[in-house]
Amino acid sequence: MSEIVAAHLNLIEAQDPYLNSVVTLNHAAMDDAARLDAGTTPRGTLFGVPVVIKDNIDTAGIATASGSAALASHVPAADAHLVFRLRKAGAVILAKTALPDFAMSWHGNSSRSGVTRNPYDLSRDPGGSSSGTAAAVAAGLAMVGVGTDTGGSIRVPASFCGLVGIRPTVGMVSRHGVTALVREQDSPGPLARSVADAAILLEAMIGWDPDDPFTALAALPPHGRTAQDVLRPRALRGARIGVLRQLCATAPGDDPGVARVVEESLTSMREAGASLIDVEMPGLPDLLQQTFMYLRQSRRDVNHSLRRSGAPFTDIADIVATGQLRPADVLLRAVAKSPEDPHHDGAYGRGLELRTHLQHQIASLYAQHNLSALCYPSVRVPAPSLTDIDGGAFDTRAPHSRPMPTNTLLAAQAAFPAVTTPAGSTSDGLPVGMELLGLPHHDRNLIALATDLERITPARISPELTTGLGSTA
């Protein structure tokens, strides 16, 4: 195990200066590997597997700053529950990975660590907010990694970096020790280079935690099968896949190369025996806008996490007041100005009501068409250039800009599970991710479908990390 861990640490030292994906190394990683080599601990399912952890997940003795320069010296006293479970399974925590401040951006840029780059093209963005985890895993700096997903923060980086990203049913993985954003939507999950690796990592994190009551519902259904049991071919044969065409349609600024890859992937699914049914959700844009809860409850939820963790600040407004932010942190500033108690906002209750309506609309599609999953591209563009981002391409304050064309809000705001898996690449070699959305607690069904989709998709092309000095691969 020590040789494997040392090799990955050497890769981080050699290649991460170009990616800027790692924010803090675990200096005890080699000691942890040596204990595994000594054979004094049971061999868990992740025995010796080098893992990177997003820096909004508590790690005992290792700084956890949620991407914020203001929290750079904050060191938690205890591991998050999911980290405890990973260690128990034998994983070795290599490092903490970069994210935008408090996970409130689609892009990999933070006040603490600066710009994170995409290993497929260093001039491009890896996606947010699990930007460092995705870039590190895609480049091979770790075998697998853990991110968090509130609006798409696992699935957008997975799409941009050619990875499998799983947003589990909320409560499958405990959020205790994870900085909250929208409590009913927050869901930690795996990022990996294959569905099998992602499923094995997810299985190690799943479990009841009395410190997160949401885990109770996930623990109640009889498991029967593990995630590994459903890693089988032919799951698409006979499956009924609802293609949400309004999320596949291209709008001005979308990339036709992404649309081409999506159509090719749909054709392959049909050839593999799946029945594709075009479905529609009337009024979906308005419904997503009305169930966007960040400006209604994120201040309360983040502040609760700050108090729980013993951070030097207890209100995100005070962190914003330090001035240690980037000009593009528009959402973070807006959250800091939102009500401390969402119940003082009359729109909060209406948003909760409409969230239930959104859930019922999705479930109705399943019932009406006897669906196995909904399907659409995770993002309708490939990884954008850092130049475009800096120029305000997705900053709605700037002229001629538009919102990030992501489809990931649907599963997030419904609090449903979803899997993003590589579907192919654009003509210039940039990955495209296809998303499968499922019903709550049917995660293993999604993993089975993703396994078969991976089987019929052209093999993932690993990035050849190039710099101005040549290739580092």
Side-chain angles (χ1 to χ4, degrees):
M1 296 306 105
S2 294
E3 291 182 3
I4 294 173
V5 171
H8 283 86
L9 289 172
N10 288 338
L11 281 172
I12 291 173
E13 181 180 7
Q15 297 189 6
D16 197 58
Y18 304 106
L19 292 173
N20 196 30
S21 65
V22 168
V23 67
T24 308
L25 286 172
N26 175 17
H27 294 294
M30 289 302 300
D31 292 336
D32 295 341
R35 280 192 287 273
L36 295 175
D37 285 336
T40 56
T41 58
R43 284 179 170 262
T45 56
L46 297 177
F47 186 78
V49 173
V51 180
V52 289
I53 306 289
K54 189 176 179 179
D55 195 36
N56 60 347
I57 301 171
D58 284 353
T59 40
I62 309 171
T64 301
S66 292
S68 172
L71 298 182
S73 61
H74 173 56
V75 179
D79 284 333
H81 182 83
L82 72 86
V83 175
F84 164 78
R85 294 188 65 88
L86 291 177
R87 292 188 192 275
K88 186 177 179 181
V92 176
I93 309 303
L94 284 183
K96 303 298 288 295
T97 49
L99 71 152
D101 294 54
F102 292 95
M104 294 193 204
S105 174
W106 296 119
H107 311 302
N109 194 337
S110 86
S111 66
R112 185 183 184 203
S113 55
V115 176
T116 301
R117 298 175 181 274
N118 190 313
Y120 282 90
D121 182 341
L122 294 177
S123 71
R124 293 180 181 267
D125 181 53
S129 66
S130 302
S131 46
T133 297
V137 172
L141 308 189
M143 287 187 177
V144 288
V146 181
T148 60
D149 192 306
T150 302
S153 290
I154 287 173
R155 292 161 292 144
V156 171
S159 182
F160 288 172
C161 293
L163 297 176
V164 176
I166 301 178
R167 171 195 164 80
T169 295
V170 175
M172 289 283 285
V173 178
S174 170
R175 287 85 52 79
H176 181 68
V178 180
T179 303
L181 190 51
V182 177
R183 192 65 176 159
E184 293 82 2
Q185 297 176 201
D186 297 336
S187 190
L191 284 149
R193 294 188 292 273
S194 71
V195 177
D197 287 352
I200 293 168
L201 180 62
L202 174 61
E203 200 70 35
M205 294 189 287
I206 291 173
W208 157 248
D209 176 14
D211 290 316
D212 182 357
F214 280 68
T215 59
L217 286 175
L220 286 177
H223 287 296
R225 299 177 298 171
T226 68
Q228 297 175 61
D229 293 331
V230 298
L231 297 173
R232 65 180 192 276
R234 315 303 179 197
L236 285 168
R237 182 175 294 172
R240 293 175 62 82
I241 307 297
V243 182
L244 202 50
R245 284 291 177 184
Q246 64 209 102
L247 297 186
C248 299
T250 56
D254 289 354
D255 192 301
V258 170
R260 173 188 57 79
V261 171
V262 168
E263 290 303 319
E264 290 173 353
S265 184
L266 293 174
T267 298
S268 297
M269 292 168 71
R270 188 180 291 108
E271 292 172 349
S275 297
L276 304 186
I277 302 99
D278 287 351
V279 296
E280 185 178 359
M281 294 182 63
L284 181 57
D286 288 341
L287 193 53
L288 291 177
Q289 183 178 19
Q290 291 167 320
T291 54
F292 187 81
M293 303 300 284
Y294 291 76
L295 301 181
R296 294 168 185 161
Q297 72 177 80
S298 288
R299 185 177 180 185
R300 178 199 65 184
D301 293 351
V302 172
N303 289 354
H304 175 79
S305 294
L306 293 172
R307 290 191 296 271
R308 173 202 52 78
S309 69
F313 295 87
T314 58
D315 189 341
I316 196 168
D318 295 331
I319 294 175
V320 170
T322 68
Q324 299 182 72
L325 296 180
R326 302 169 300 117
D329 286 325
V330 179
L331 179 57
L332 180 56
R333 288 184 172 85
V335 166
K337 294 177 181 178
S338 65
E340 293 185 61
D341 183 347
H343 294 94
H344 295 162
D345 178 2
Y348 177 62
R350 178 61 174 160
L352 295 178
E353 179 184 357
L354 289 171
R355 176 192 286 154
T356 301
H357 179 60
L358 177 62
Q359 294 167 338
H360 290 170
Q361 274 208 20
I362 295 171
S364 294
L365 288 177
Y366 271 78
Q368 179 182 354
H369 300 287
N370 191 25
L371 298 180
S372 307
L374 287 176
C375 183
Y376 44 84
S378 295
V379 194
R380 298 189 304 277
V381 294
S385 73
L386 299 174
T387 300
D388 286 346
I389 293 170
D390 290 343
F394 305 106
D395 180 351
T396 53
R397 302 169 304 165
H400 311 299
S401 69
R402 64 175 184 140
M404 171 66 79
T406 177
N407 294 326
T408 56
L409 290 174
L410 176 60
Q413 290 175 205
F416 280 17
V419 177
T420 290
T421 188
S425 302
T426 62
S427 58
D428 47 1
L430 297 175
V432 175
M434 182 72 90
E435 184 160 322
L436 298 170
L437 182 153
L439 296 177
H441 306 296
H442 289 68
D443 304 60
R444 292 174 177 85
N445 295 343
L446 285 183
I447 290 169
L449 293 170
T451 300
D452 208 18
L453 180 56
E454 181 180 66
R455 177 185 66 84
I456 63 173
T457 299
R460 175 183 179 271
I461 300 174
S462 298
E464 183 177 346
L465 185 61
T466 58
T467 71
L469 303 176
S471 174
T472 68

